[in-house]
Amino acid sequence: MDGPIGVLAPVPADNDPAPAPARRGHDRKPRIAFVHEWLTTYAGSEKVLEAMLAEFPEAELFCLIDFLKPEDRRRLQGRRPKTTFLQKIPFVRRFYPYLLGLMPIAVEQHDLSGYDIVVSNSHAVAKGVIIGSDQLHLCYCYSPMRYAWELQGQYLSEAGLHRGVGTVLARIILHGIRIWDVRTSFSVDHFMACSAYIARRIKKTYRRDSTVIYPNVAVEDFTPGGERGDFYLTASRLTPYKRVLLIVEAFANMPERKLVVIGTGPQFNRLKRAATPNVTLLGYQDFASLRHHMQTARAFIFAAEEDFGITPLEAQACGTPVIAYGRGGASETVVPGVTGLHFFEQSAEAVREAVERFEALPKPLSPWEIRSHAQRFSTQRFKREFRDFVEVAWRDHQKQLRILPGLQSRAGPRIE
């Protein structure tokens, strides 16, 4: 795994001078708050949040809006987070993505003054909470706000704001959000990045170093099994940036090879029109079906430029090779010649050429080597690295304030 992009100050040695007396009731363990963007579905960032909260079960949770289903809420230990005024807007669940201009104001309304450690789990505005000078703010960053930076054009197009007065107003709002986004990065004491790719983006956008801690992947739920079939597989939400269409187009030019597509989304009908007889669109599939297809596919194909990309690692946990676009997170999680291959152009021709290279390999890739690689991204590994990061940052923060209270966990205090 990539080493840290930025290095925190070392933990004080046992023979360091004794800390000065606490100034704010520091004879107690620190109070911890987690700030999440919104809880409307249970996807990648929510799985990371689940692992974070499992390590710090005493922490409290804040978010903009909360509409989790009961079965998903149980994964977060049944927590009811503290929300903002956005929660009270009628039908907000349907159109909250269009309220980006209100989100900075909303997230600043969270009262976090009673907490010692604040962890923002952020891909949009969560890191913009207001923090006091004595508080420690750690940000787990999936990306600087995509809507306001490199994906501004796509965001405006999908919102129907690509021309007229609407686009002028939207661009003015996004300009203000970019200024706010950079300014609020100053309140973060330490950034964690979900990949080295995002660490570079954080450096470019905020001029801040960060430490790479890869997200948790449920490798224990994805295991090898079943006989290999004669089909290739791709699975994702069917949105434009996932580039599933170019995979379908590639197989339209390879009628002798089979492709199975799992997922639903705005592009489903367009993919259906483009699909040839050798392409099967299954739509939404439950977990058991998804895992079975991953276990028996010849290879998994991934054409998106993702910040990290969990699905390719789920396929690798099944011992399945991955043919992936060689930018973004997949450039770090797919090892050429060991767990799969890369292609370096998002085009149907590049996918076709990569499939041919894969089939021309002198010997099959080892399923057990592929799975062994995926286990490096396990939930247990994430929990350990995340807790260690928080502990070191807290010790360093307390050393600066000349105080050193204990930090409790499920297993008891790790710092005394």
Side-chain angles (χ1 to χ4, degrees):
M1 188 178 74
D2 292 273
I5 301 299
V7 181
L8 301 180
V11 176
D14 293 338
N15 59 357
D16 275 2
R23 290 181 290 161
R24 290 175 45 197
H26 292 94
D27 55 338
R28 57 172 173 78
K29 65 180 182 181
R31 293 190 65 196
I32 304 174
F34 285 87
V35 183
H36 193 69
E37 248 94 38
W38 45 75
L39 290 168
T40 56
T41 60
Y42 199 84
S45 65
E46 286 73 32
K47 292 176 182 178
V48 172
L49 179 65
E50 177 186 359
M52 291 175 171
L53 291 172
E55 283 301 293
F56 297 98
E58 73 280 8
E60 295 189 47
L61 179 59
F62 295 77
C63 68
L64 296 175
I65 57 174
D66 170 30
F67 293 101
L68 271 189
K69 296 177 181 178
E71 59 269 26
D72 292 331
R73 192 175 305 283
R74 284 194 290 271
R75 298 181 181 181
L76 299 182
Q77 306 162 14
R79 294 171 186 270
R80 291 279 179 181
K82 297 178 182 179
T83 58
T84 67
F85 66 83
L86 296 180
Q87 183 80 20
K88 299 178 181 178
I89 297 177
F91 310 111
V92 68
R93 185 178 183 179
R94 298 181 185 176
F95 59 84
Y96 72 91
Y98 300 98
L99 299 179
L100 186 60
L102 290 177
M103 290 180 184
I105 299 172
V107 79
E108 289 177 349
Q109 306 314 304
H110 287 313
D111 182 6
L112 302 173
S113 58
Y115 299 90
D116 303 291
I117 302 173
V118 175
V119 180
S120 54
N121 195 37
S122 184
H123 68 268
V125 299
K127 73 163 180 45
V129 290
I130 296 175
I131 301 294
S133 59
D134 282 357
Q135 294 173 287
L136 175 64
H137 182 188
L138 307 176
C139 176
Y140 190 85
C141 184
Y142 302 91
S143 175
M145 199 185 313
R146 305 178 193 90
Y147 329 107
W149 295 98
E150 68 270 20
L151 293 186
Q152 174 183 272
Q154 180 178 320
Y155 174 76
L156 293 175
S157 178
E158 292 178 358
L161 296 171
H162 49 279
R163 64 170 63 90
V165 176
T167 188
V168 174
L169 293 175
R171 289 177 185 278
I172 291 172
I173 291 172
L174 289 172
H175 175 74
I177 285 178
R178 281 192 291 274
I179 295 172
W180 176 87
D181 190 34
V182 172
R183 178 180 61 78
T184 56
S185 70
F186 302 153
S187 76
V188 177
D189 292 288
H190 301 291
F191 277 98
M192 293 164 275
C194 71
S195 64
Y197 173 70
I198 292 303
R200 292 190 294 271
R201 190 179 290 174
I202 290 170
K203 184 72 170 181
K204 182 77 171 180
T205 305
Y206 303 141
R207 294 294 188 265
R208 296 289 304 276
D209 290 334
S210 55
T211 297
V212 174
I213 300 179
Y214 290 113
N216 49 299
V217 179
V219 295
E220 66 278 4
D221 295 333
F222 292 86
T223 55
E227 294 183 4
R228 291 286 165 193
D230 62 349
F231 66 94
Y232 291 85
L233 174 69
T234 189
S236 74
R237 179 159 172 77
L238 304 180
T239 56
Y241 94 93
K242 294 289 188 179
R243 300 301 181 97
V244 177
L245 180 60
L246 68 85
I247 300 175
V248 171
E249 291 172 343
F251 277 80
N253 296 321
M254 296 185 289
E256 71 283 6
R257 298 181 175 95
K258 298 178 183 178
L259 173 69
V260 172
V261 180
I262 291 178
T264 187
Q267 282 209 314
F268 184 84
N269 289 333
R270 185 174 180 185
L271 294 177
K272 192 173 182 180
R273 291 191 298 270
T276 47
N278 61 319
V279 176
T280 303
L281 273 65
L282 295 181
Y284 170 80
Q285 297 290 299
D286 62 19
F287 172 76
S289 176
L290 172 65
R291 180 175 60 184
H292 173 72
H293 281 86
M294 284 187 170
Q295 290 170 332
T296 56
R298 190 169 185 179
F300 185 88
I301 303 182
F302 188 74
E305 183 178 345
E306 287 278 20
D307 304 331
F308 176 64
I310 288 177
T311 312
L313 280 165
E314 292 172 342
Q316 289 176 75
C318 294
T320 300
V322 175
I323 301 171
Y325 180 51
R327 288 196 60 188
S331 68
E332 302 168 50
T333 61
V334 177
V335 182
V338 179
T339 72
L341 294 176
H342 288 138
F343 56 94
F344 296 95
E345 180 181 298
Q346 287 177 310
S347 69
E349 178 61 23
V351 172
R352 185 192 62 78
E353 189 272 337
V355 170
E356 291 176 351
R357 280 194 291 121
F358 172 75
E359 294 183 359
L361 289 174
K363 62 179 181 178
L365 301 180
S366 166
W368 301 110
E369 281 191 53
I370 295 171
R371 173 163 175 78
S372 177
H373 170 73
Q375 288 176 315
R376 299 175 59 217
F377 300 87
S378 69
T379 298
Q380 292 74 18
R381 182 273 323 162
F382 171 81
K383 287 181 177 180
R384 181 181 66 253
E385 292 183 3
F386 175 70
R387 167 165 276 284
D388 288 347
F389 185 95
V390 174
E391 288 187 342
V392 171
W394 177 242
R395 289 282 296 268
D396 181 57
H397 182 73
Q398 297 294 71
K399 185 178 181 182
Q400 292 178 35
L401 297 177
R402 308 310 302 155
I403 48 181
L404 189 60
L407 184 60
Q408 298 287 336
S409 73
R410 292 173 300 164
R414 294 266 296 274
I415 301 178
E416 299 177 352

